[in-house]
Amino acid sequence: MSSPRSRFADIEYDPPIEVFQLTENYKKDTFDKKVNLGVGAYRDENGKPWVLPVVRKVEAQLATDLTLDHEYLAVAGLEEFCIASTKLALGEDSPALTENRGVGVQCLSGTGSLRLAAEFLRRAGFDTVYVSDPTWGNHLGIFRDAHFPNIRKYAYWDAEKRAIMFDRLISDLKGAPPNSVAILHAAAHNPTGSDPTQEQWAAIADVCEERQIFPLFDSAYQGFSTGDLDLDAWAPRYFVRRGFELFVCQSYAKNFGLYNERIGNLAVVTRDADSNARIRSKMRTIIRQMWSNPPAHGARIVATILNNAALFNEWKEHVRTMASRIRSMRELLYQKLKGLGTPGSWEHIITQTGMFSYTGLNTKQSEFLVRDLHIYIMRDGRINMCGITPSNVDYVAQGIHEAVNKVDSKV
């Protein structure tokens, strides 16, 4: 007698998640010159993960602290973490903090912060969200799963000029209906690596004010753009000074290297303390239904470092080190491509900032790199600059040179 057919037999496979599948394929590859430029994680000059020394130090301290336990945190998170994290986003002298209008809620890294923001905003009556074109791939799925009926794109990247198409960006936001949400990348735009200037941010704020758009800042790379934590937070802080109510979704995966600890914060800025209290109460209810309680270990690491002047300064130096290495690899790759005489303009590699470069390589050229040369990059041509090292940059540059010359650039 045959066993009954599973009730799930008709469930279809979802396509693999590209960036993680790319890494799996890279790990299985036995080619000795293989290069992984896909996954969004920092790598040192030897292509290895870097656990920040200050993180190691604090972990050792926590491991010997016998007063710590594994009891639940408050649903909204470790209070000293939330306070310190919100200060990092908004600045210690922020009017939102001095007037008690800013508050934080611990979340599961940047993704959890965005998911909580999306769920809250949808329940609060918002139904339209604008994302940059292109944007981080998960933005669309997060707001779709929060049941936003209208997910729209605003122009951002000019593929021909390899720069922000600012006039069209402004035009698209001017067409947004009132009470739309706009996801704005605080610094080191993913995937393009191109950020608005301060003057352009002011113009974006003008449109948001005129159209009553709610700004939702995604701050996953604070410190990675310029190496300066304050400069990389300029945009959300400027909007706060302009009097906006807004959210800032923070992640400590990149700038603390705490990728698998899932530590993030949702900084909430409103017009009064009472609104903050009501919002936080609603968010606690949502959290209880989604992940119930946040993780303590990573929150304790971040809180300890942010609240200790000596440790904080040590961490800032680590952030500068990471940002500096990324900038040096941008310059090195640019010079190698220039030296090879690779067709096209490659100045965008050094004018872009942060972890990623939007190379301008098309899908066919990217697939050629992966298939023929074992250089693993995203199909849209995005590369993680941290994956480039002094020992592999010649191979990567030669690979890009071959892709440009051998594969149709018009595909």
Side-chain angles (χ1 to χ4, degrees):
M1 181 177 177
S2 61
S3 58
R5 187 170 182 268
S6 170
R7 68 184 69 201
F8 303 112
D10 293 328
I11 297 293
E12 296 181 357
Y13 282 99
D14 268 6
I17 299 169
E18 182 186 3
V19 67
F20 289 104
Q21 185 63 52
L22 203 66
T23 298
E24 286 301 309
N25 295 343
Y26 168 82
K27 289 178 179 178
K28 294 174 183 176
D29 192 341
T30 58
F31 185 66
D32 62 342
K33 289 186 177 181
K34 66 181 181 178
V35 181
N36 186 4
L37 303 181
V39 68
Y42 181 78
R43 296 292 182 261
D44 65 15
E45 64 277 5
N46 298 310
K48 302 296 183 183
W50 188 42
V51 179
L52 276 56
V54 71
V55 169
R56 289 276 196 211
K57 181 189 296 185
V58 171
E59 283 186 310
Q61 293 174 1
L62 294 175
T64 58
D65 187 346
L66 299 183
T67 67
L68 298 178
D69 54 40
H70 298 287
E71 293 294 299
Y72 290 121
L73 297 178
V75 173
L78 188 70
E79 191 67 14
E80 55 264 38
F81 163 78
C82 296
I83 292 172
S85 183
T86 304
K87 283 182 181 179
L88 185 69
L90 305 181
E92 287 198 34
D93 61 348
S94 171
L97 297 179
T98 58
E99 298 165 11
N100 201 28
R101 298 186 292 106
V103 68
V105 178
Q106 185 182 337
C107 298
L108 304 185
S109 201
T111 302
S113 303
L114 285 158
R115 185 66 178 85
L116 177 60
E119 187 70 28
F120 170 81
L121 290 169
R122 185 67 192 100
R123 295 187 189 190
F126 293 82
D127 63 9
T128 302
V129 61
Y130 280 78
V131 302
S132 64
D133 184 17
T135 193
W136 180 49
N138 225 10
H139 282 152
L140 299 172
I142 288 169
F143 278 80
R144 183 174 59 245
D145 285 357
H147 305 293
F148 266 71
N150 305 308
I151 301 176
R152 301 175 182 174
K153 296 180 179 180
Y154 60 87
Y156 196 83
W157 184 247
D158 188 324
E160 291 296 322
K161 296 180 179 178
R162 298 180 184 179
I164 298 173
M165 50 174 68
F166 190 70
D167 289 344
R168 282 193 54 196
L169 182 159
I170 291 296
S171 176
D172 286 350
L173 290 182
K174 282 185 175 180
N179 295 318
S180 295
V181 178
I183 299 179
L184 306 171
H185 298 231
H189 183 276
N190 180 5
T192 71
S194 295
D195 297 328
T197 64
Q198 291 185 1
E199 291 75 16
Q200 288 173 332
W201 275 121
I204 292 170
D206 289 342
V207 176
C208 289
E209 187 173 62
E210 174 190 334
R211 299 301 303 158
Q212 301 174 48
I213 294 171
F214 183 81
L216 174 60
F217 282 95
D218 186 350
S219 180
Y221 302 99
Q222 188 174 353
F224 265 65
S225 179
T226 65
D228 186 315
L229 294 164
D230 294 319
L231 193 56
D232 283 4
W234 188 90
R237 293 178 186 182
Y238 172 77
F239 274 64
V240 171
R241 291 195 303 273
R242 287 275 300 259
F244 282 90
E245 296 186 300
L246 55 81
F247 290 169
V248 182
C249 299
Q250 298 172 271
S251 167
Y252 293 103
K254 271 69 174 182
N255 55 16
F256 268 83
L258 296 172
Y259 301 96
N260 66 14
E261 296 293 347
R262 312 313 297 148
I263 301 304
N265 181 63
L266 177 54
V268 175
V269 176
T270 62
R271 301 200 193 285
D272 56 77
D274 182 60
S275 294
N276 278 356
R278 285 184 278 110
I279 289 172
R280 213 170 187 230
S281 74
K282 293 292 186 185
M283 288 185 174
R284 279 196 296 265
T285 300
I286 296 170
I287 289 170
R288 178 63 173 156
Q289 297 161 357
M290 287 204 295
W291 59 76
S292 185
N293 207 266
H297 182 65
R300 286 170 176 157
I301 293 171
V302 175
T304 300
I305 292 169
L306 294 184
N307 288 310
N308 179 290
L311 295 175
F312 181 60
N313 287 331
E314 189 174 345
W315 173 61
K316 286 197 293 185
E317 188 58 39
H318 295 337
V319 171
R320 283 192 287 267
T321 295
M322 292 187 283
S324 176
R325 198 187 92 72
I326 294 170
R327 283 196 299 271
S328 68
M329 290 303 100
R330 287 184 179 280
E331 181 65 33
L332 189 55
L333 178 60
Y334 169 68
Q335 293 298 339
K336 295 291 184 181
L337 291 170
K338 189 176 177 183
L340 288 168
T342 306
S345 172
W346 298 95
E347 282 82 6
H348 58 284
I349 289 178
I350 53 176
T351 58
Q352 293 169 358
T353 66
M355 182 174 285
F356 302 113
S357 177
Y358 217 43
T359 60
L361 296 171
N362 62 38
T363 300
K364 294 295 184 183
Q365 292 167 336
S366 301
E367 290 173 343
F368 167 80
L369 286 171
V370 175
R371 182 187 63 249
D372 291 27
L373 300 179
H374 308 263
I375 299 172
Y376 289 81
I377 77 169
M378 301 289 281
R379 295 177 73 251
D380 63 3
R382 189 198 80 172
I383 64 174
N384 177 9
M385 294 303 304
C386 306
I388 295 176
T389 68
S391 61
N392 68 24
V393 65
D394 286 304
Y395 184 70
V396 171
Q398 183 62 43
I400 292 174
H401 182 77
E402 288 186 32
V404 171
N405 281 291
K406 291 183 177 181
V407 183
D408 188 356
S409 63
K410 301 300 182 183
V411 177

